[in-house]
Amino acid sequence: MKCLLVSAAAAVAVSTQITKAALPDPTQDLVDWQADEIGVIIHFNMATMAGTQGCGGPADPPPLSKWNATELDTDQWVEAMGNLGAKYAVYVAKHGCGFLAWESNVTLPFLPGPSNKYPYTVADTAGPGSVDVAASFVASCRKKGVKPGFYYSLGSNAYAKNTLKLAADEYNQLMLAQTAELWTKYGELDEIWFDGGYDPVTAPNLTASIAQHQPHAVVFQGYGVSKNPTRWIGTEAGTAPYPNWNNNNGNAPGGGTAAGPDFVPGEVDTTLQENDLWFYSPGHAIRTLAELQDVYHHSVGRNANLLLDMAPTPAGVIDPDAFARYKEFGDWIRGCYGAGNVLAEVTGGATTIDLAKAVGPQGAPVDRVVIQEDQTKGEAIAAYTLQVRGCAGGERERGWLVGWLAGWLDGWLVGLVGVEEGGHWPSTALPGVCVCVCVCVCVCVCAYVYVYSVLTTACARANRFSARGPRIG
């Protein structure tokens, strides 16, 4: 019988040359954000109407007459989020074209017209689609308990640069005024998204604005301007590196570093549409469930948050095929890793689960491992080894060599807690005892061990080892 095991490791304290004082602590805001695991990013802006992926080069952006969101339904967006299981959502309120999907009241003396207002916003459009999309998005999110956030591209704005031809100082004044407005009009935000980072010239003003208006928001690529920074994982393919540390050197993309001085967790942003298409592109295929399963295991399963794209049609609704795929994906996640599949669990200093005691003398099918560390005091677990004892066929052990800590782990096959790598346990009949031992760079705070029974039709293809970062509660 195949064994299906989901467990998270308990800890063994050891002494090394790395001390707790050398490990960066996360803020509670970052801990809470990582616990949510899955979010969405909604690309619905002027590029949607133009049928492009954004505005680049010296050309003017599309005219306001292109805006035609005649069937805007942000409640449907949030319904799709719920079906997926997303806990937070980031709306692209301004992309590279420069169009503001909110009703802006910013005035600056160098802006055109007698009102000195920025004239490329949803309020400047005509027809039934002339509504504050950002306000509608936030209201729909709050009704269903989804945490809202906003994307604002700091360095790209075709309207400001190509049409208005603003000087650099004027551009920065406009950007700072618009972001301050966006961060104050709609209440507390969960995440602020800086695509492409920020200009160091504007860092002092951005730091002050974030601290004043959104002190609890996590800020993507926000190291240096926020106490709650997250980082780009380095690819939009849906795969985090292996291993993937929360410890990092500032905003550096990629898999982090074990001895990094900063706690900057990674976020895996990826598309539902194939070929890296973020805005709605009719006729293009969407990713299969099998592909999304791999995305989940290689993002959430590798100690990163998954940020999956949603691309509403120009009318303002999610395409039916995409809507169905979000639900199919969410159903699969719940079917595999939902609380109803837990057979047994252990937390704290314990290192074993007695499967015979947990599931009875007949055993149960088990074939996957999830390792989770409580990282409220930092990322302490450096390596793990997993063993199954007392099963038919003898003792089984599995680990992954991911590097040495100054030669100290001599003889260990190890893997980093917070990562996942595909693999199968040998066919093993339970009952037995699952033993998980973690090697720590200091005293481990706590970790979690779960045993699941998830050999269902929905889960049958996902026979993988997974190791995930912080889980609280």
Side-chain angles (χ1 to χ4, degrees):
M1 180 185 294
K2 185 179 293 184
C3 289
L4 174 53
L5 170 67
V6 175
S7 101
V12 175
V14 296
S15 175
T16 75
Q17 296 178 351
I18 304 175
T19 66
K20 178 65 187 76
L23 295 177
D25 286 338
T27 65
Q28 187 60 48
D29 296 318
L30 285 172
V31 170
D32 293 343
W33 176 81
Q34 276 206 291
D36 286 338
E37 297 190 345
I38 300 175
V40 297
I41 183 167
I42 303 98
H43 279 76
F44 182 72
N45 205 281
M46 187 58 79
T48 307
M49 307 301 168
T52 68
Q53 293 299 303
C55 296
D60 288 338
L64 288 167
S65 58
K66 282 281 188 181
W67 189 258
N68 194 33
T70 55
E71 301 174 20
L72 180 68
D73 189 350
T74 55
D75 284 347
Q76 188 232 19
W77 301 1
V78 175
E79 182 182 357
M81 298 173 201
N83 291 341
L84 171 63
K87 300 297 191 297
Y88 64 97
V90 178
Y91 173 57
V92 178
K94 187 197 76 69
H95 200 257
C97 293
F99 181 78
L100 305 188
W102 77 91
E103 296 177 356
S104 176
N105 294 310
V106 168
T107 60
L108 292 166
F110 51 79
L111 291 176
S115 66
N116 295 125
K117 292 178 67 174
Y118 184 79
Y120 194 57
T121 80
V122 70
D124 300 296
T125 65
S130 181
V131 298
D132 189 323
V133 183
S136 181
F137 157 77
V138 169
S140 294
C141 285
R142 298 208 192 282
K143 281 191 293 186
K144 296 297 184 180
V146 175
K147 303 171 187 176
F150 288 124
Y151 167 121
Y152 181 105
S153 53
L154 297 178
S156 58
N157 184 327
Y159 189 81
K161 293 182 176 180
N162 302 341
T163 304
L164 298 181
K165 301 187 186 305
L166 298 184
D169 181 65
E170 293 172 335
Y171 181 91
N172 287 337
Q173 289 183 59
L174 177 67
M175 176 271 292
L176 290 167
Q178 288 178 346
T179 52
E181 180 181 58
L182 186 62
W183 300 339
T184 55
K185 285 190 69 172
Y186 304 105
E188 185 170 309
L189 303 176
D190 189 60
E191 184 168 10
I192 292 168
W193 234 76
F194 293 157
D195 194 358
Y198 57 88
D199 184 343
V201 171
T202 63
N205 288 324
L206 283 173
T207 301
S209 187
I210 292 169
Q212 178 182 357
H213 303 307
Q214 293 294 338
H216 296 292
V218 303
V219 181
F220 181 77
Q221 299 191 110
Y223 180 83
V225 296
S226 169
K227 64 184 177 117
N228 303 317
T230 65
R231 74 179 191 274
W232 186 43
I233 211 67
T235 176
E236 295 178 347
T239 300
Y242 174 72
N244 177 42
W245 298 84
N246 289 325
N247 300 334
N248 199 48
N249 292 310
N251 277 329
T257 177
D262 311 303
F263 195 95
V264 187
E267 188 168 38
V268 175
D269 59 317
T270 194
T271 63
L272 180 69
Q273 296 176 113
E274 293 184 350
N275 302 317
D276 201 36
L277 295 172
W278 294 91
F279 288 96
Y280 179 72
S281 300
H284 283 82
I286 59 175
R287 291 160 94 162
T288 66
L289 177 61
E291 290 172 317
L292 293 172
Q293 290 169 357
D294 283 341
V295 166
Y296 180 82
H297 285 129
H298 291 91
S299 57
V300 174
R302 289 186 174 178
N303 193 34
N305 276 32
L306 170 60
L307 190 70
L308 186 60
D309 186 41
M310 284 187 170
T313 69
V317 296
I318 304 295
D319 176 87
D321 289 341
F323 190 91
R325 185 57 41 82
Y326 291 123
K327 185 177 188 305
E328 185 181 27
F329 186 26
D331 286 344
W332 172 82
I333 295 171
R334 289 181 287 272
C336 283
Y337 298 110
N341 292 322
V342 177
L343 295 175
E345 62 182 88
V346 63
T347 65
T351 58
T352 64
I353 287 181
D354 187 332
L355 298 172
K357 182 181 293 185
V359 303
Q362 301 304 312
V366 175
D367 81 345
R368 76 193 61 205
V369 175
V370 174
I371 301 174
Q372 296 178 319
E373 178 187 9
D374 180 348
Q375 296 182 15
T376 53
K377 300 300 182 183
E379 194 170 35
I381 298 177
Y384 68 87
T385 185
L386 297 164
Q387 300 170 341
V388 177
R389 298 174 180 168
C391 297
E395 182 172 305
R396 309 297 188 190
E397 181 170 333
R398 181 60 59 90
W400 297 274
L401 182 64
V402 297
W404 305 103
L405 293 177
W408 175 70
L409 297 176
D410 186 27
W412 281 64
L413 283 175
V414 302
L416 169 68
V417 167
V419 302
E420 176 274 335
E421 183 62 24
H424 297 270
W425 283 85
S427 181
T428 308
L430 300 181
V433 176
C434 167
V435 181
C436 190
V437 180
C438 289
V439 180
C440 303
V441 297
C442 63
V443 176
C444 297
V445 176
C446 182
Y448 301 83
V449 180
Y450 303 91
V451 176
Y452 289 63
S453 176
V454 298
L455 272 183
T456 64
T457 301
C459 257
R461 101 171 270 287
N463 299 328
R464 294 195 177 270
F465 295 98
S466 296
R468 176 67 174 102
R471 179 188 181 99
I472 308 304

